[in-house]
Every structure is written in C-alpha cells, then in structure tokens.
C-alpha cells in the first residue's frame, strides 16, 4: 500500500499539467453543486425578503378583535411579536410566531371558528409551509429532481477527469503490469491518486462554493439613491433620514432638482430618484394626501422593481408613524391622510425581465462560439498531428492564428444577427439604440474571447484538458458578470474581482444599447476596457504559441 501511494504521488508530481487539469475537474464539480444550491437558496431568500418588505413579517392576521382577545393572543405560547395596523379604516391585528411551522396548529388552538382571520399565504408558501399536500409534494419533487441532475452532472464530471488521467497513462500502467504489478495494485495506485486529488480539490471546491454564497446573493442592496427635497420641512427631513438609515439604500446625492437626478441616472451614478413635493408637511397637517414621485432605473427590472418596493414600504411605514403621532391630522370628511407614491420605471417601464436577460444571453452565446470553439479547434489539431505539419511551414504565427479565428468570428456575427431576428419575432424586442453600436461592441468582445480561448489552447495538450479549463473559467466569468445578480449588490471583494471580467463590461454595454439607447460617447469606457483586454489576450496568445516543439 505504501509503495502504491509513493508511485501515485510520483506520478502526480511528474505530470503536473494532467494533475492540474484533474484537480480543476474535481473543484469544478464541487463548485457546481455548491453554486446551484447557493443560487436557489439566495433566490428563495430574496423572494422572502421582498414579501416581507412589501407586506410585513407576519403569519396570521386577525380582524375585528376585542381588547380581551388581543391580550389573550399576546400572552399565547409561541408568539414572537404582534402589531396592530389600520387597513382601509379597519383594525388588523398581526401575529408573528417564533416557529412558523406551528402556524396552523396555533390557529386551531387559539382562534375560534367565529373569529375572522387569514394567513400570510404568500410568505408561508415560500417558507415551505402549506396545508396542501400537493404543494408539498411538488416542492419535494422539484428539489429531488434538481438534486439528481446536479449529482449526475458532478459524478460525470469527476469520472471524466479521472478517465482522462487514466487514458493518458495507458503506457505507464502497461509497463507496471509487465514487471509484475497485479490488477489490484494498479487499481490501488489509481485509487490512491483519487484520494490524494480529492483531499486537495474537494476542500478547495467547498471553500469556493462558500465564497460564491456572497457573490450570488439575489438580495438587492447598495441601491444608489438621490432624494430631491422640495419641502425642506421637519417632516421631509425625517423621512430622508429614515430612508438613509436603511441597509438597502445608499444616499449618494441630494440634487437640487428632479432633472438633475434624472441626469445622474443616465450617467449611471444613481439607481433611483425620489422627489418630495413642496408643502408636504402643510398638506399632511391639513388632512390632504401627499404625492411622492419615485423614478427607478429599470434596465435591471428586478433591481428597479425591488428597489421601488423597498422604498414604498419605508414611506408607508413612515406614514403610519405620522398617523399614530398626529391623530388630529384628519380631514373634515374624516378621511385619514396618507402619502401616495407614484412610481415610474425608466428605460423599462413594464419591468420586462426579457429585456434584461436576452442581451446577456446573446453575450453568453458569443462567448461560447468565439471563445470556446476556437480553443477546441487548435487543440484538436494537436491531437491529430496536423499542427506539426503547419509548424514546419513558413506561415507566420499571426497568420495562422488569424486563419483559425476568422471563421468563428464570421459565425459569431451570423448567429448574433439571427438572435436579433428571433428576439424580434418571438418577444417583440428590438434595441432602443442603433445596431451598429452593438456590432462595434461585438468586434472588440470576440477579439477578447478568441484571444482568451487561444491562450488556453496553447497550454493544453488534449481537447479534454482544454474543455475542463474553459468550463472552469466560463463558470467564474458567468457568475461574476452580473448576469444573475447586480454587481453593485455583491460584496466589495467580489466587485474588485469583477473588474478583471471582460464579460461584465460587454453585458453592461449590451443592456445600455438595448434599453437606454446609449451611443458611442456613452460606451467609450466599455470599449476602452475591452480594447485593453483584446490587446492583452491576443498578445499573450501570439507569444505563447510556439512553432517549434
């Protein structure tokens, strides 16, 4: 056993390239499992937080309660907190339990059949609590199906990684057999390699998976807010301070006018502009409704919608505080004044998620065609042996690389044009900006990704090695691009990493053209950064490609 482990260790050290590729395969499979579960859990938490921000954190609402009933319910076992609110001039007593799983048992124990009450069904369903067995079965079935798919994918990935390692060592294992090594000894050597690789790779994959739990947080935070205060009263200033204290918003500026706030949104320095009207305090004290305007940058429909919902919840809560503090602020007709919010979605008024995702999916497709396939093409010629024939010809390195990339560039442009047509036919989506801006961006982006793919192919000996490395980097690029979660909502260390992700800049630019109609001047920062990436990767590809091997 000791000899087998020594042989396995020596083999791993001798074949560093193959060892690295196998390690990447194991890390990628573990990371894939952690990432999928993290993403699903983050989406669920985001949905729960959105419901709580919109409707409040309660489980049971009791209507038309007496003082005696309220006292009994507050003293009931399992109650975490209670709240009395007014909805349409009707008192509603809301109850939050320590353990939401006991909500139905609590209702049957403390609420009689004549008591009028309701459950917070939407929140309870996301918490996985339901009286319907069919819903429970559906949730369990979906979870089991996802687990099975992820398990099969991870096992296949790890199996292929070791299969590549074993297939590349056929000659070495044959020599061991010829000097007396039994099949059991060979299996022990292979298993020892698997143990050593797994001991290193699995913890790395788990750590990376835990780190992605911060990067893949679907919760919308760090929303850049501009507040235009036209009232400058104590009531308006208190509202501004209350919003600024929220963990969801970052008050970046207090512009003098609404038009100035809109310019900040167009420049990308603000996500939401809130305008407080003149005479807010006077109207409230006189029993009249006040209207606050909220304009959100809805290029990201989810961010714009949730940001507006968070802001609406804070304003409604503030209005409730004012009503409780100033009960005399009631109009002659007896109507309780309120603060009404007028929301406006800029660039995506209907919060259409397709407008946000389709340009990003086009970018992912271009990444596969112009980055993945060229790398596999060059490596396949290494395996067949035709690369040696090309190496002895007087063809310059630059000409050879250009000849390899040009077909995929053409295919990429054709596929992108077909995507434009399909987006228009199937979803009625057309860019607000000009198509020439998109094609200009694509020229720089395909140069970046094809150069990146060639760099990987230059350091890969087989197609399997190239595929594993590309899959590994593709997953990282995709998760750090802002495809699923806004980059501004990621932790600061993750945002620092995304600076080196070319896919992030291309997706941002595509969304700017599609939804905002941005022109050349607006896109100059993204074009400049993509140009730097293109020069860097293609220079690296030309330098690292060696004609003499």
């Amino acid at each position: 056993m000791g000899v087998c482990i020594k042989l396995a260790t020596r083999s791993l050290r001798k074949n560093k390239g193959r060892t690295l590729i196998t390690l990447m395969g194991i890390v990628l499979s573990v990371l894939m499992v952690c990432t999928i579960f993290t993403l699903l859990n983050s989406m669920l938490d985001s949905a729960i937080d959105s419901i709580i921000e919109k409707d409040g954190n309660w489980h049971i609402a009791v209507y038309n309660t007496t003082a005696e009933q309220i006292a009994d319910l507050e003293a009931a076992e399992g109650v975490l907190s209670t709240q009395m609110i007014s909805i349409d001039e009707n008192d509603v007593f809301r109850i939050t339990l320590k353990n939401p799983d006991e909500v139905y048992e609590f209702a049957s124990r403390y609420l009689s059949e004549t008591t009028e009450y309701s459950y917070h069904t939407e929140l309870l369903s996301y918490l996985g609590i339901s009286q319907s067995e069919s819903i429970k079965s559906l949730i369990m079935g979906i979870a089991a199906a996802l687990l099975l798919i992820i398990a099969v994918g991870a096992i296949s990935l790890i199996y292929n990684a070791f299969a590549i390692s074993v297939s590349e060592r056929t000659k070495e294992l044959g020599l061991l057999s010829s000097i007396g090594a039994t099949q059991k000894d060979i299996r022990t050597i292979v298993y020892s390699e698997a143990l050593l690789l797994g001991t290193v790779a699995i913890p790395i994959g788990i750590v990376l998976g835990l780190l992605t739990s911060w990067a893949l947080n679907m919760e919308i935070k760090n929303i850049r807010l501009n507040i235009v205060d036209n009232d400058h009263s104590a009531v308006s200033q208190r509202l501004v301070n209350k919003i600024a204290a929220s963990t969801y918003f970052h008050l970046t500026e207090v512009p003098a006018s609404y038009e100035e706030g809109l310019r900040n949104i167009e420049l990308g320095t603000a996500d939401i502009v809130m305008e407080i009207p003149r005479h807010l305090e006077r109207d409230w004290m006189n029993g009249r409704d006040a209207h606050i305007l909220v304009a959100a940058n809805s290029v990201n429909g989810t961010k714009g919608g949730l940001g507006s919902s968070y802001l609406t919840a804070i304003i409604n809560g503030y209005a409730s505080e004012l009503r409780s503090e100033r009960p005399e602020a009631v109009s002659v007709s007896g109507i309780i004044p309120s603060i009404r919010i007028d929301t406006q979605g800029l660039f995506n008024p209907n919060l259409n998620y397709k407008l946000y995702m389709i340009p990003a999916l086009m970018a992912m497709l271009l990444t596969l065609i112009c980055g993945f396939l060229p790398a596999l093409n060059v490596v396949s010629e290494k395996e067949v042996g035709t690369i040696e024939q090309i190496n002895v010809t007087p063809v310059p390195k630059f000409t050879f690389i250009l000849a390899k990339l040009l077909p995929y560039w053409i295919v990429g442009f054709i596929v992108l044009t077909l995507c434009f047509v399909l987006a228009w036919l199937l979803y009625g989506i057309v860019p607000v900006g000009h198509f020439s801006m998109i094609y200009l961006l694509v020229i720089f982006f395909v140069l970046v990704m094809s150069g990146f793919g060639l760099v990987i192919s230059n350091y890969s000996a087989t197609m399997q090695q190239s595929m594993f490395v590309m899959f590994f980097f593709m997953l990282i690029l995709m998760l750090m691009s802002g495809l699923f979660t806004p980059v501004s909502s990621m932790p600061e260390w993750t945002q620092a990493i995304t600076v080196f992700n070319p896919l992030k800049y291309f997706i941002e630019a595509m969304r700017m053209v599609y939804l905002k109609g941005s022109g050349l001047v607006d896109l100059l920062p993204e074009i400049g950064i993509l140009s730097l990436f293109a020069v860097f990767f293609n220079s690296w590809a030309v330098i690292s490609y060696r004609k003499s091997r």
Side-chain angles (χ1 to χ4, degrees):
M1 183 67 178
V3 175
C4 293
I5 293 178
K6 289 181 180 180
L7 288 173
T9 306
R10 183 182 301 173
S11 175
L12 293 175
R13 290 177 178 175
K14 181 180 177 182
N15 303 280
K16 295 181 180 178
R18 187 183 66 228
T19 301
L20 180 61
I21 297 301
T22 308
L23 282 172
M24 279 190 174
I26 301 172
V27 170
L28 182 60
S29 62
V30 177
L31 177 61
M32 180 178 65
V33 174
C34 295
T35 299
I36 295 297
F37 278 105
T38 299
L39 182 60
L40 292 175
N41 185 64
S42 180
M43 292 174 66
L44 182 61
D45 290 342
S46 176
I48 292 173
D49 291 340
S50 177
I51 293 170
I52 292 174
E53 284 290 332
K54 181 178 67 174
D55 299 327
N57 185 15
W58 55 275
H59 303 133
I60 303 177
V62 186
Y63 307 96
N64 303 320
T65 54
T66 63
E68 184 179 354
Q69 286 178 316
I70 292 175
D72 292 339
L73 291 172
E74 288 178 340
E77 183 181 357
V79 174
L80 178 63
S81 63
T82 60
Q83 181 186 21
M84 176 66 76
I85 66 170
S86 178
I87 300 179
D88 296 333
E89 302 183 20
N90 295 318
D91 291 335
V92 181
F93 185 67
R94 289 179 172 178
I95 304 171
T96 304
L97 302 180
K98 296 178 182 177
N99 185 6
D101 293 329
E102 300 175 353
V103 61
Y104 298 110
E105 181 182 350
F106 179 90
S108 62
R109 182 187 304 175
Y110 294 102
L111 301 176
S112 63
E113 295 181 356
T114 58
T115 304
E116 184 181 359
Y117 65 92
S118 64
Y119 299 107
H120 199 167
T121 309
E122 189 176 9
L123 176 61
L124 293 175
S125 62
Y126 277 102
L127 293 173
I129 304 169
S130 175
Q131 287 180 311
S132 174
E133 293 296 329
S134 59
I135 295 179
K136 291 182 180 179
S137 301
L138 178 62
I139 294 174
M140 294 299 296
I142 293 175
L146 286 173
L147 180 61
L148 179 62
I149 293 172
I150 294 169
V152 170
I155 292 172
S156 301
L157 197 57
I158 295 176
Y159 174 80
N160 289 332
F162 282 109
I164 293 169
S165 175
V166 173
S167 64
E168 291 181 1
R169 296 178 55 204
T170 303
K171 185 176 180 180
E172 178 185 344
L173 296 177
L175 289 175
L176 290 175
S177 299
S178 65
I179 60 175
T182 63
Q183 291 293 325
K184 181 180 179 181
D185 293 333
I186 293 175
R187 282 197 300 270
T188 303
I189 294 173
V190 175
Y191 291 155
S192 299
E193 288 188 12
L195 178 63
L196 292 172
L197 291 170
T199 303
V200 175
I202 291 176
I204 294 176
I206 293 175
V207 171
L208 290 176
L210 293 175
L211 292 177
T212 57
S213 64
W214 285 285
L216 283 180
N217 193 346
M218 299 295 289
E219 187 177 13
I220 306 298
K221 286 188 175 182
N222 301 322
I223 302 172
R224 294 167 298 182
L225 177 65
N226 284 188
I227 298 180
V228 181
D229 187 359
N230 295 319
D231 192 37
H232 301 290
S233 63
V235 171
S236 64
Q237 187 58 46
R238 182 178 165 189
L239 175 60
V240 172
N241 294 335
K242 186 177 182 65
I243 295 173
S246 171
T247 57
Y248 293 101
F249 296 99
H250 178 54
L251 185 59
T252 57
E253 189 177 340
V254 182
S257 65
Y258 177 70
E259 290 73 19
E260 186 179 342
L262 290 181
R263 283 196 296 271
N264 291 336
I265 287 183
E266 293 175 356
L267 294 173
T269 59
D271 298 315
I272 295 179
V273 174
M274 186 184 83
E275 184 182 24
I276 299 175
R278 296 180 184 274
H279 311 306
L280 171 69
E281 185 176 33
R282 187 187 68 181
D283 291 343
W284 178 270
M285 296 304 297
N286 292 332
R288 292 194 296 267
D289 291 342
H291 293 264
I292 290 179
L293 176 62
V294 174
N297 181 358
S298 299
V299 170
N300 181 341
T302 304
K303 185 176 183 179
L306 284 178
S308 300
S309 298
Y310 294 159
L311 201 55
T312 300
I314 294 174
I315 296 172
N316 289 334
Y318 179 64
S320 299
E321 290 181 11
L322 290 179
R323 282 194 292 268
S324 62
E325 293 173 1
R326 294 186 174 94
E328 70 278 3
V330 179
S331 63
V332 178
S333 60
I335 300 176
I336 300 176
S338 63
I339 300 177
R340 302 191 180 277
I341 301 100
D342 300 323
T343 59
Q344 180 183 0
L346 303 176
F347 313 119
N348 186 6
N350 299 322
L351 302 181
N352 188 349
Y353 193 68
K354 301 182 188 69
L355 288 174
Y356 176 69
M357 286 301 298
I358 287 179
L361 295 178
M362 291 181 184
M364 292 300 302
L365 188 60
L366 278 176
T367 303
L368 292 173
I369 295 175
C370 301
F372 201 96
L373 297 182
L376 297 182
N377 187 311
V378 175
V379 177
S380 65
E381 293 207 13
K382 290 183 182 179
E383 289 188 330
V384 175
T386 55
I387 194 73
E388 301 298 334
Q389 301 174 14
I390 296 175
N391 286 338
V392 298
T393 64
V395 177
K397 292 191 293 184
F398 178 78
T399 304
F400 169 71
I401 291 175
L402 184 62
K404 282 295 178 185
L405 295 180
L406 193 58
Y408 294 100
W409 292 350
I410 296 174
V411 171
F413 277 92
I414 294 174
V415 170
L416 180 66
T417 304
L418 292 175
C419 289
F420 291 152
V421 175
L422 291 175
W424 171 62
L425 291 176
L426 298 179
Y427 303 107
I429 296 175
V430 292
V432 178
H434 203 277
F435 282 105
S436 60
M437 286 293 99
I438 298 179
Y439 283 113
L440 178 63
L441 288 167
V442 170
I443 291 174
F444 290 97
F445 183 68
V446 297
L447 285 173
V448 174
M449 295 314 301
S450 57
F452 178 68
L454 284 176
V455 169
I456 293 177
S457 68
N458 290 341
Y459 291 97
S460 302
T462 64
M463 288 186 65
Q464 289 87 348
Q465 288 183 358
S466 179
M467 287 176 62
F468 272 122
V469 176
M470 283 298 296
F471 270 126
F472 180 81
F473 282 106
M474 279 290 294
L475 182 61
I476 301 299
L477 291 175
M478 181 179 65
L479 296 179
M480 300 294 180
S481 65
L483 177 63
F484 299 109
T485 59
V487 175
S488 60
S489 296
M490 297 180 182
E492 292 183 1
W493 64 267
T494 310
Q495 295 184 36
I497 295 175
T498 60
V499 172
F500 304 98
N501 185 359
L503 185 59
K504 165 199 165 186
Y505 300 101
F506 183 62
I507 289 179
E508 286 180 354
M510 285 283 287
R511 287 169 174 166
M512 288 171 65
V513 176
Y514 246 89
L515 284 94
K516 298 173 67 174
S518 299
L520 181 61
V521 176
D522 301 319
L523 298 173
L524 281 179
E526 285 74 17
I527 292 176
I529 294 173
L530 290 176
S531 302
L532 293 176
F533 276 115
V535 172
F536 174 75
F537 283 123
N538 286 279
S539 300
W540 189 0
V542 173
I543 294 171
S544 61
Y545 174 70
R546 299 185 298 274
K547 291 193 66 175
S548 58
R549 293 183 182 273

